[in-house]
Amino acid sequence: MTIRIKTILAAAAAVAALGAPAAMAQADLTAYSYVYYADAAKTQVLGEVYDRGCGGRGNNVYVLRANIPSPYYDATPIYICTAGGPMPLED
């Protein structure tokens, strides 16, 4: 019984260790403008939306994402969110 519990605990620790890098991966902090289309061939433009800005406090920064009303779109980077606010992209 003790061996079985140790084996289960060791397996759980291994799974947690493998998942740690994924959990620690930094989120995409790039804001985009989106042109969205009615079809997969991207022949009928429906409109354009932009990410709404940056949010967060201190080092907890995130992008306020736009709602894209279609699964077919092109995204163009416009700025990067930082703890100090939006920063323009370098050319």
Side-chain angles (χ1 to χ4, degrees):
M1 183 72 164
T2 304
I3 294 172
R4 183 180 228 178
I5 292 172
K6 287 181 182 179
T7 303
I8 291 171
L9 290 175
V15 168
L18 289 175
M24 291 189 300
Q26 187 173 1
D28 180 19
L29 296 177
T30 304
Y32 297 91
S33 67
Y34 307 91
V35 176
Y36 57 95
Y37 304 89
D39 57 336
K42 299 180 180 178
T43 58
Q44 296 178 332
V45 175
L46 292 177
E48 187 172 348
V49 293
Y50 301 88
D51 286 334
R52 300 181 323 239
C54 302
R57 292 181 185 223
N59 291 331
N60 297 322
V61 178
Y62 53 88
V63 179
L64 299 168
R65 296 282 179 209
N67 180 25
I68 307 167
S70 172
Y72 313 112
Y73 61 88
D74 291 324
T76 304
I78 50 179
Y79 58 86
I80 296 179
C81 289
T82 67
M87 298 294 289
L89 295 172
E90 295 180 15
D91 291 332

